[in-house]
Amino acid sequence: MQLFKSQVLKVSNSLSGKKEVFKPIKEGYVGMYVCGPTVYSNVHLGNCRTFMSFDMIFRYFKHLGFKVRYVRNITDAGHLVDDADDGEDKIAKKAKLEQIEPMEVVQRYTVDFHETLQKFNFLPPSIEPTATGHIIEQIEIIKQIIKKDLAYEVNGSVYFDVIKFNENHDYGKLSGRKLEDMIANTRSLTAQDDKRNPQDFALWKKAEPQHIMRWPSPWGDGFPGWHLECTAMSTKYLGENFDIHGGGMDLKFPHHECEIAQAEASTGHTPVNYWLHANMLTLNGKKMSKSTDNNIYPNEIFSGDNKILSKAFNPSVVRFFMMQAHYTSILDLSNDALLASEKGYYRLMEALKSLEELETSSKTDFDIKHWQQGCYDAMNDDFNTPILIANLFEAVKHINLIKEKKEGISKEDKTLLKGILQTFIYEVLGLENQNIVEGNSGTLSGVVELLIDLRNNARANKDFGTSDKIRDELLALGVQLKDGKEGTTFSLNS
Ligand SMILES: [Zn+2]
């Protein structure tokens, strides 16, 4: 159904700083590019939030009836430790550390990325290209930029000439920075620097003899600059001008600014109509960071194996928690916040179940069509999922009133309401009905925790008969205990 013909969608465009009506380049089609992960470690929960925001956006476009080509890349080369073109390649560094091939690092963490996203019920993108699969395209773009005299080669590396580009273009227009301020605030170049200006960025870097990830090029063996891959892959699969480019807020500068510069320099026109940025996730009010231990991985949340949360939470609860905030707002994860979301999530799932069993009557005391448009209005207002969820709970309130026979619903309206709820809950928000213990039932997890305690006491007293009996009988009931370093955890075998 071409719902997009009757719904007016507005999106927050970082380029204009305004909420704008979304008009695709080609009616009925959406081209969307999102910067994917650099696969050198397990996927970070903050990154999951960014990708989840765009998964929801992808889902809503599809729901509106658009044909969407969604491209989300995998960065498997070229991303250096320091965003200012310094330091080692993140993947090569990890490979050296673990004494394995860079492509083994890439494979391991690409698999982890996909597995984690699958747990969160992400839809796969239409294309998931890799940087190393597009070296030729990247070299071609560099040649174009050199031809336009906006890049220069020094000692086997090629740099983008930001100062020269800015003479006829606006470098900084996405991030709201002025080149003069950037110049005033940057350190001056050292004698070892090949760049003409500190603001210039690498399109191609010469590979030193010890650099293991290297490709031949007209400028000698080297590797592409990080920003270039996204220009190469977005242009290749979506064209020189496409609808939406997304990513985390932290990528606005320099990454996305440089993407615009590269594209404008090579093609002569602006690449993206709408730039969408997802905000960050904090943990207990502070920035997440591996070095300070204020950090948690998705799998640690699902297993309960962590020092931050009081219990395990299933992926759909975490997804629901993330959907309760607008994607452009900072969201803070805490034990209390997750517990509250868990309650809300199960109330929603319970209501869906009660709806099935509702007795119908001759008339409906609830304006379902009006309520439905309210759900669309929320999503049409820059994908406002918290307002959508508030609307869904409005329906939950009515379901409960109907259940208590304080209101009525007709047979047709019951079917209609069920369809709309399922559409928004499963299709648009991407939630699943996960009746996992760890989640819902405080009672069940309490009982299992009690048995785990009793079993630990038995083991401490060398009463292995009792401890094995507890383990085996729980297993027979579908509750599997797992003994780990941090103690015993459990999961439900469904
Ligand atoms: Zn990118």
Side-chain angles (χ1 to χ4, degrees):
M1 225 179 7
Q2 297 191 317
L3 283 170
F4 59 81
K5 289 193 168 155
S6 56
Q7 304 292 336
V8 180
L9 171 65
K10 286 185 172 180
V11 301
S12 275
N13 188 352
S14 306
L15 197 56
S16 65
K18 292 194 186 98
K19 227 183 253 182
E20 298 172 8
V21 172
F22 175 73
K23 277 201 209 82
I25 295 165
K26 189 175 171 200
E27 204 207 5
Y29 289 82
V30 175
M32 176 162 89
Y33 185 91
V34 171
C35 294
T38 302
V39 281
Y40 72 105
S41 67
N42 290 108
V43 62
H44 197 268
L45 190 65
N47 288 339
C48 289
R49 183 190 180 205
T50 298
F51 301 131
M52 194 183 289
S53 299
F54 290 101
D55 181 63
M56 172 273 292
I57 288 170
F58 177 40
R59 284 167 174 275
Y60 190 57
F61 275 122
K62 279 167 69 97
H63 171 69
L64 290 182
F66 285 104
K67 291 210 170 15
V68 191
R69 182 178 292 167
Y70 173 26
V71 183
R72 188 185 65 213
N73 70 305
I74 296 273
T75 297
D76 57 354
H79 195 175
L80 303 186
V81 171
D82 182 325
D83 281 349
D85 303 326
D86 284 322
E88 281 180 273
D89 181 297
K90 291 187 180 189
I91 287 156
K93 186 180 171 190
K94 183 85 171 184
K96 259 192 238 163
L97 199 73
E98 302 206 357
Q99 295 193 316
I100 54 176
E101 279 289 317
M103 281 302 134
E104 282 184 271
V105 173
V106 166
Q107 179 68 18
R108 179 186 299 167
Y109 296 113
T110 302
V111 168
D112 167 76
F113 175 66
H114 287 149
E115 283 178 354
T116 306
L117 264 49
Q118 215 163 28
K119 286 179 194 160
F120 277 126
N121 197 32
F122 278 56
L123 296 177
S126 326
I127 308 177
E128 197 171 44
T130 61
T132 55
H134 297 77
I135 300 287
I136 293 167
E137 287 84 349
Q138 297 184 69
I139 291 174
E140 280 310 308
I141 293 175
I142 301 174
K143 286 188 195 162
Q144 291 298 322
I145 302 176
I146 293 178
K147 216 187 268 172
K148 303 271 172 69
D149 208 18
L150 291 169
Y152 55 91
E153 189 217 330
V154 186
N155 296 328
S157 293
V158 182
Y159 295 97
F160 189 94
D161 193 334
V162 170
I163 307 283
K164 196 153 182 214
F165 171 77
N166 197 54
E167 288 169 8
N168 293 308
H169 298 83
D170 182 5
Y171 183 77
K173 64 179 169 189
L174 178 68
S175 53
R177 299 178 187 216
K178 288 254 164 293
L179 188 57
E180 306 86 75
D181 300 340
M182 289 185 233
I183 293 168
N185 294 325
T186 358
R187 62 175 175 90
S188 46
L189 292 169
T190 59
Q192 300 89 19
D193 267 314
D194 289 333
K195 294 181 188 178
R196 287 183 192 160
N197 314 290
Q199 286 69 39
D200 295 351
F201 57 88
L203 297 171
W204 187 262
K205 288 277 276 184
K206 177 189 176 161
E208 298 305 330
Q210 71 275 14
H211 198 96
I212 41 183
M213 299 176 82
R214 55 201 301 140
W215 291 266
S217 82
W219 316 284
D221 274 10
F223 55 93
W226 171 41
H227 314 306
L228 191 59
E229 59 171 277
C230 290
T231 300
M233 294 185 267
S234 60
T235 310
K236 174 159 180 168
Y237 298 111
L238 299 171
E240 292 180 356
N241 176 231
F242 57 96
D243 297 302
I244 292 180
H245 193 312
M249 210 74 102
D250 54 328
L251 295 183
K252 231 190 238 182
F253 188 89
H255 187 55
H256 291 161
E257 202 72 70
C258 295
E259 276 189 48
I260 294 178
Q262 290 164 160
E264 289 186 353
S266 59
T267 70
H269 49 249
T270 191
V272 177
N273 291 354
Y274 304 90
W275 282 90
L276 269 52
H277 287 100
N279 215 325
M280 61 169 179
L281 182 72
T282 55
L283 179 59
N284 288 326
K286 278 182 265 163
K287 208 176 161 196
M288 283 207 236
S289 145
K290 277 185 243 177
S291 54
T292 60
D293 238 11
N294 193 49
N295 190 39
I296 192 163
Y297 284 97
N299 282 331
E300 294 175 329
I301 301 183
F302 309 152
S303 68
D305 190 7
N306 64 76
K307 291 189 190 110
I308 289 164
L309 306 172
S310 61
K311 61 186 282 299
F313 294 90
N314 80 42
S316 227
V317 166
V318 181
R319 187 167 177 124
F320 181 72
F321 160 74
M322 292 196 183
M323 290 293 128
Q324 280 180 300
H326 191 257
Y327 76 98
T328 60
S329 314
I330 293 177
L331 172 63
D332 187 48
L333 185 129
S334 66
N335 194 54
D336 287 350
L338 276 179
L339 285 171
S341 288
E342 188 179 59
K343 263 194 198 147
Y345 167 81
Y346 282 106
R347 255 179 66 215
L348 197 57
M349 292 301 159
E350 272 305 308
L352 266 186
K353 212 169 115 203
S354 334
L355 178 61
E356 304 266 358
E357 293 143 17
L358 284 188
E359 278 177 40
T360 55
S361 48
S362 55
K363 67 175 187 64
T364 307
D365 302 299
F366 164 36
D367 188 347
I368 293 180
K369 283 280 172 203
H370 178 76
W371 165 80
Q372 180 186 29
Q373 189 52 47
C375 294
Y376 280 107
D377 290 347
M379 287 304 287
N380 292 340
D381 184 15
D382 195 23
F383 315 99
N384 201 325
T385 53
I387 302 285
L388 168 67
I389 290 172
N391 264 298
L392 298 179
F393 278 107
E394 194 49 38
V396 170
K397 196 181 84 190
H398 286 288
I399 291 170
N400 290 333
L401 286 171
I402 299 163
K403 203 167 141 189
E404 292 161 19
K405 308 246 180 309
K406 288 178 184 153
E407 276 187 12
I409 190 164
S410 71
K411 201 167 166 239
E412 300 76 56
D413 280 346
K414 182 174 147 176
T415 311
L416 180 67
L417 179 60
K418 186 178 147 192
I420 302 167
L421 277 172
Q422 287 184 336
T423 297
F424 280 103
I425 295 172
Y426 299 136
E427 193 183 314
V428 174
L429 291 176
L431 300 171
E432 291 177 295
N433 192 354
Q434 294 180 324
N435 276 319
I436 303 181
V437 229
E438 310 135 276
N440 178 14
S441 146
T443 318
L444 181 52
S445 32
V447 170
V448 178
E449 292 296 342
L450 176 68
L451 287 165
I452 289 174
D453 274 352
L454 290 173
R455 176 168 167 263
N456 287 343
N457 285 341
R459 288 209 293 183
N461 295 329
K462 302 215 181 316
D463 178 4
F464 297 112
T466 305
S467 73
D468 289 351
K469 188 175 156 71
I470 292 174
R471 185 197 58 206
D472 296 343
E473 301 216 344
L474 277 175
L475 189 61
L477 292 168
V479 181
Q480 181 158 30
L481 300 187
K482 217 179 107 199
D483 297 315
K485 271 185 282 173
E486 317 286 353
T488 306
T489 54
F490 70 94
S491 60
L492 260 203
N493 299 330
S494 43

